[in-house]
């Protein structure tokens, strides 16, 4: 939708500037970081406390949460493990909206990453299907 006073909507500009793959990747990064922020806030801990728990420096955590960096997977896993979370690999829906009923959950020992184990069973699922 275009508003003559302010110009085109961001969604229209975004589609002109970026490929669907780039938009999907950006949306996934934002969703993961939102989950990370929500988990930290739910536990009521500061970024500094998360640094102590995860071993990831507070400025790195701040940049991750602000979206100004694209962190390495091992860094994300360290932070999530310190929050009692992990990532879960799930099938992407096909064009009919159906997904394969098999989902694999990959467990890892947070202590291998140098993070003390807090709790088990917390996972986040993400699907890049377009709405």
């Amino acid at each position: 939708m275009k508003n003559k006073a302010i110009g085109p909507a961001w969604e229209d500009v975004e589609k002109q500037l970026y490929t669907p793959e780039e938009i999907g990747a950006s949306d996934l990064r934002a969703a993961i970081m939102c989950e990370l922020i929500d988990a930290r806030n739910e536990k009521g801990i500061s970024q500094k406390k998360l640094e102590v728990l995860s071993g990831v420096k507070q400025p790195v955590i701040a940049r991750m949460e602000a979206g100004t960096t694209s962190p390495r997977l091992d860094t994300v896993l360290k932070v999530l493990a310190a929050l009692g979370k992990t990532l879960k690999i799930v099938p992407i829906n096909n064009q009919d909206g159906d997904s394969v009923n098999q989902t694999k959950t990959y467990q890892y020992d947070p202590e291998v990453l140098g993070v003390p184990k807090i709790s088990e069973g917390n996972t986040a699922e993400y699907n890049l299907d377009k709405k």
Side-chain angles (χ1 to χ4, degrees):
M1 181 172 136
K2 184 174 181 177
N3 180 328
K4 291 181 183 180
I6 59 173
W10 167 247
E11 291 80 16
D12 297 331
V13 173
E14 183 181 45
K15 288 176 185 173
Q16 293 173 353
L17 295 176
Y18 303 105
T19 66
E21 292 81 15
E22 290 170 324
I23 293 169
S26 177
D27 290 347
L28 178 61
R29 279 191 304 274
I32 292 170
M33 290 308 111
C34 285
E35 287 292 328
L36 188 147
I37 293 165
D38 289 347
R40 184 175 63 77
N41 288 333
E42 285 171 11
K43 292 204 176 278
I45 61 175
S46 66
Q47 290 178 348
K48 191 66 175 168
K49 177 67 175 174
L50 186 54
E51 173 185 357
V52 172
L53 293 172
S54 69
V56 176
K57 298 291 185 187
Q58 182 275 328
V60 174
I61 294 168
R63 288 192 298 269
M64 286 171 55
E65 290 186 0
T68 59
T69 187
S70 186
R72 292 176 21 177
L73 181 58
D74 63 331
T75 302
V76 173
L77 290 174
K78 284 181 182 180
V79 172
L80 287 173
L83 294 168
K85 303 276 186 176
T86 189
L87 293 177
K88 186 173 186 176
I89 308 300
V90 298
I92 297 175
N93 289 344
N94 64 23
Q95 282 128 358
D96 297 329
D98 298 328
S99 65
V100 178
N101 289 331
Q102 293 180 325
T103 299
K104 294 180 182 177
T105 301
Y106 297 91
Q107 298 293 332
Y108 61 91
D109 185 354
E111 292 178 10
V112 171
L113 296 172
V115 177
K117 196 177 216 177
I118 293 177
S119 64
E120 296 181 23
N122 294 315
T123 59
E125 297 182 23
Y126 296 96
N127 192 323
L128 288 178
D129 283 346
K130 293 295 175 190
K131 295 176 180 145

